Amino acid sequence: MKRTKALVLLSGGLDSILAVKILEAQGVKIKGLGFKSYFFNEKLAKKAARALNIPIKIIDLSKEHLNLVKKPKYGYGKGMNPCIDCHILMLKKAKKIMLKEKFDFVATGEVLGERPMSQNLKSLKLIEKKSGLKGYLLRPLSAKLLEPTIPEKKGLIERKKLLDISGRSRKRQLKLAKKFKIKSYPSPAGGCLLTDLEFSKKLKDLFEKYPRCQGNDIELLKLGRHFWQEKVKIIVGRNEEENKKIRKLAKRSDVLIEMENYPGPLTLVRSYSKRKVPSRILEKAKFLTKYYSTKSRQKKNVKFKISFG
């Protein structure tokens, strides 16, 4: 008899790990599918796949995902997280792989009511429809609370062995983790920077001042202290490691400022207009460079080195 095959979206979180375990308990052959972008990486997904001993495919969504984040059709959550649009994008990718590699269905670790924006009943139905996976998207943790899928109707999956978890409580998931002897899993907060309110504020500022921003601009948002002066961004490194990363991300048109006679931050000045950076803004950048070095803050003999990326 042909073995049932499922493609499972694997974030590396407990819910997606449990989805794999529940399906494997029914003899389903699993392949994981993970994603990476400027706002999250694939490390947890790969770690989970190794622990589960299943193959995994990683898709880089970076550019496509950034365009989506700029103008999501279904809006943002508390931060700059367009969770519904994001899930639709991922599941569209999953559908293509399902058809190409002849999987019987796609599965996720989504739990009804766990996330207010993207996992209420209306959103789950919308995501399934817009992804083109209607009838072929199985959510093992909440399946008994949702309409039967085509693989259930065909007898490829036993519905009675699926679960009926709902809500934000994690008690049943934690119980299942013990049952399946899952010892290592991340906190449910997730690894997406778009849910971080501080990062979201910086991203929103960047979108407003420079809507055409690209990956390099996003990577810089993850580093240093940020100060806007009109359409010029000043980024002050917080430690040696950040200084090195900022230097690597510097473009030819960026101004780099550091102190010659005291240890301290590397400061990058980037203009988001066609104008040359005004001298008063460079002076502000020098002041910030000196201010964020405790050894030079009160000194008057500071010498600055200015270069270009």
Side-chain angles (χ1 to χ4, degrees), residues 219-260:
E219 292 302 324
L220 274 176
L221 281 186
K222 302 172 187 177
L223 303 167
R225 302 174 180 90
H226 291 243
F227 306 90
W228 281 102
Q229 300 288 305
E230 298 164 21
K231 282 203 168 185
V232 177
K233 171 72 81 71
I234 300 171
I235 302 167
V236 184
R238 286 176 289 202
N239 52 51
E240 189 178 350
E241 185 182 351
E242 283 199 346
N243 288 348
K244 288 178 182 177
K245 289 179 179 178
I246 289 170
R247 195 181 297 278
K248 282 185 178 179
L249 288 168
K251 295 180 178 179
R252 287 184 181 180
S253 56
D254 294 336
V255 180
L256 295 173
I257 299 173
E258 53 198 317
M259 293 176 290
E260 288 185 349

Side-chain angles (χ1 to χ4, degrees), residues 1 21 32 85 112 147 158 169 199 234 272 279 282 299:
M1 186 178 175
K21 288 290 189 181
D85 296 84
L112 178 63
E147 293 178 16
E158 288 188 57
S169 172
F199 181 84
I234 300 171
Y272 284 103
S279 57
L282 290 177
K299 305 295 183 181

Side-chain angles (χ1 to χ4, degrees), residues 40-276:
F40 50 80
N41 63 46
E42 75 284 16
K43 291 178 182 178
L44 289 176
K46 283 184 172 181
K47 182 180 178 182
R50 287 194 298 271
L52 291 163
N53 196 28
I54 61 170
I56 186 167
K57 180 181 180 68
I58 303 295
I59 295 178
D60 187 344
L61 292 172
S62 298
K63 291 181 180 179
E64 196 172 353
H65 188 241
L66 176 56
N67 290 332
L68 180 154
V69 173
K70 288 178 182 179
K71 291 185 178 179
K73 184 175 180 180
Y74 299 102
Y76 301 107
K78 286 184 178 180
M80 291 289 284
N81 49 312
C83 295
I84 293 174
D85 296 84
C86 186
H87 287 187
I88 291 170
L89 174 62
M90 290 178 177
L91 288 167
K92 281 182 176 180
K93 302 291 184 185
K95 182 189 176 184
K96 288 182 180 180
I97 297 168
M98 182 189 83
L99 296 174
K100 184 179 179 181
E101 300 185 22
K102 297 182 179 178
F103 286 95
D104 294 295
F105 61 93
V106 172
T108 73
E110 292 167 292
V111 172
L112 178 63
E114 187 173 86
R115 298 185 187 277
M117 179 186 181
S118 61
Q119 293 181 9
N120 59 68
L121 185 58
K122 184 179 177 182
S123 294
L124 291 181
K125 287 182 177 180
L126 175 69
I127 289 166
E128 181 178 2
K129 180 182 177 182
K130 294 297 181 180
S131 66
L133 280 168
K134 189 165 176 60
Y136 288 93
L137 179 55
L138 181 67
R139 285 121 167 172
L141 293 168
S142 296
K144 286 183 178 178
L145 301 173
L146 305 171
E147 293 178 16
T149 58
I150 290 168
E152 291 169 77
K153 292 174 182 177
K154 286 183 175 180
L156 300 176
I157 291 291
E158 288 188 57
R159 185 172 174 83
K160 65 180 181 180
K161 291 182 180 179
L162 300 174
L163 303 181
D164 58 355
I165 300 175
S166 67
R168 305 187 75 170
S169 172
R170 306 275 293 169
K171 288 181 181 178
R172 289 183 67 185
Q173 287 97 314
L174 295 173
K175 229 176 183 181
L176 284 166
K178 286 185 179 179
K179 176 187 172 183
F180 287 119
K181 297 179 181 179
I182 302 166
K183 295 178 181 178
S184 177
Y185 49 88
S187 67
C192 181
L193 279 171
L194 295 169
T195 62
D196 182 283
L197 296 182
E198 282 301 312
F199 181 84
S200 292
K201 185 178 180 298
K202 289 191 286 186
L203 182 63
K204 188 177 181 181
D205 285 343
L206 179 62
F207 283 176
E208 286 175 357
K209 290 180 172 68
Y210 189 62
R212 293 187 290 117
C213 63
Q214 297 301 320
N216 181 282
D217 303 297
I218 304 301
E219 292 302 324
L220 274 176
L221 281 186
K222 302 172 187 177
L223 303 167
R225 302 174 180 90
H226 291 243
F227 306 90
W228 281 102
Q229 300 288 305
E230 298 164 21
K231 282 203 168 185
V232 177
K233 171 72 81 71
I234 300 171
I235 302 167
V236 184
R238 286 176 289 202
N239 52 51
E240 189 178 350
E241 185 182 351
E242 283 199 346
N243 288 348
K244 288 178 182 177
K245 289 179 179 178
I246 289 170
R247 195 181 297 278
K248 282 185 178 179
L249 288 168
K251 295 180 178 179
R252 287 184 181 180
S253 56
D254 294 336
V255 180
L256 295 173
I257 299 173
E258 53 198 317
M259 293 176 290
E260 288 185 349
N261 52 339
Y262 288 99
L266 173 69
T267 296
L268 182 146
V269 183
R270 176 172 292 180
S271 175
Y272 284 103
S273 71
K274 293 180 180 179
R275 292 173 54 209
K276 185 180 176 182

